[in-house]
Each structure stands twice: as structure tokens, then as C-alpha cells.
Amino acid sequence: MTITLITGANKGIGFATAKQLAEAGHVVYLGARDPERGEKAAAEIGARFVRLDVTDDASVRDALSAIDAAEGRLDVLVHNAGVLADGPVDGAKALQAFDINAVGIVRVTEAALPLLRKSANPTVVTVSSSMGSFWAVTNPERPESGLPLALYAASKAAATMLTVQYAKSQPGIKFNAVEPGPTATDMTAAWGIGRAPEESAAVVVRLATLGPDGPTGTLQDENGVLPF
């Protein structure tokens, strides 16, 4: 049985990913800040709710302690919690964007490492973005080059780099970042773009279900490895 934790999973891509992995037989811990929304989402798909705020060290520790007590290990960790941080830029918004999109990855990963090391096939997936790829945002043939999302792009570049560095420092654990594709979620509602979350979740699920010989230290989309 595969034990999986997904952060920010009460809606959007995170919820769709949780649903697909639960249907595939995973024991899914659905992490969310809001207990009411999280409990409701977990019940809907047969997952287990765990309160988890990626910006709060105590919340993260408590969530991983609960999983440790119940399961004794963690096989798959999906970093999905994120914020778009669009609109006017200032220091407070920058701190918030990086706290959720990048520092949160560090908080959760560090708390999860002891449990991941107990897995026979430990896998970590970071829902990042091609907006954090220098190659994509400087390529005039790519749509990313025309999107003014400074804080989102910079924090997702950090998220991808953290993923690559963890892959180097933790060779026994697979770490990969994913560009799930343009998706219609609460985060992108103002843009009026994107496909159904279920389609993008399938891209995340592919990396979350890699075999022991799967790749590590990559940024991928549905077509394969992306330069970054």
C-alpha cells in the first residue's frame, strides 16, 4: 500500500491529484489549511484529512507526526500548495509568495525526510511551473515570455531549484518538478484560461507513480523533460 501526502489538496490540481491517486489505491493524506474544507474534500474521495499549513512550522511538524503515528512511513510527497501572487508587487507580497511557493517546500520536505527514508520507493513531486524556467520566459515562441508574473515566476524558479538540489543531496529519494499545464483553477480564474484540473493532475500522477528506476532532478511537463 502506498502512503501519499499532498499539500494544498482541497481544491484544484491538488484535489484532482488526490482523487486519482486514491482511485489507484494509494492511502492519500489530503493536506489543507482549512479543516472544514479539508475534511469535506477528503470525505468526498475517500482520503484522510490532515491539517497542514506550509507556512507554519508547527502545523507541518504536527501533520507529519500524525502520518508517522498512523503509517510509520511516507512513500509519496506532492508539493502542491501555491499562490499566484499577481497584481502590484511589494515586499510583503514577495515574502508571502516565496514563503508558500518555495520555503514551504523546505519546511515540508525536511519534516518528511525521516518518513520518506523508510519507504521502499520514496518519491517527491513539486508542482512547479514553466514560468520558473529561464529558458521558457526568455523564449519569444513560448507564451511564458509574455506573462507579467514576477513573484510567481521567481518563486517557482526557486521551487524547481530546490527540487534539483534535494535530488542531489538525497540520492535515495526521487525528486522531480512538474509543469502540469495551463489549468482552470481559482488561481487562474482572472485569466480565463486553462483545461480541467483532472487533465493536469494526470501529469502530476505520472511523476508520483514512478518506479524505483525513474528519473530524478528533472523539470517535466506532459511531453517530457523541460529545460530550465
Side-chain angles (χ1 to χ4, degrees), residues 52-72:
L52 198 162
D53 179 348
V54 301
T55 68
D56 184 276
D57 289 288
S59 168
V60 171
R61 284 196 303 270
D62 289 348
L64 272 299
S65 293
I67 295 171
D68 187 13
E71 311 294 348

Side-chain angles (χ1 to χ4, degrees), residues 63-179:
L64 272 299
S65 293
I67 295 171
D68 187 13
E71 311 294 348
R73 73 176 195 280
L74 182 64
D75 300 301
V76 178
L77 170 60
V78 179
H79 294 293
N80 173 74
V83 63
L84 190 61
D86 57 339
V89 172
D90 57 28
K93 185 177 279 189
L95 286 170
Q96 180 195 47
F98 275 83
D99 200 18
I100 296 171
N101 291 352
V103 182
I105 291 171
V106 176
R107 286 192 185 95
V108 179
T109 301
E110 291 298 322
L113 280 174
L115 291 181
L116 287 164
R117 292 185 183 119
K118 295 178 182 179
S119 171
N121 182 30
T123 303
V124 180
V125 181
T126 301
V127 180
S128 189
S129 173
S130 54
M131 279 297 298
S133 161
F134 288 82
W135 165 79
V137 299
T138 58
N139 183 344
E141 296 181 359
R142 297 279 302 195
E144 297 90 340
S145 66
L147 292 176
L149 292 169
L151 298 180
Y152 182 75
S155 59
K156 287 299 188 178
T160 299
M161 180 58 76
L162 284 167
T163 303
V164 172
Q165 293 299 322
Y166 271 119
K168 291 175 180 291
S169 67
Q170 305 293 328
I173 303 172
K174 291 184 295 298
F175 285 84
N176 291 287
V178 60
E179 157 55 63

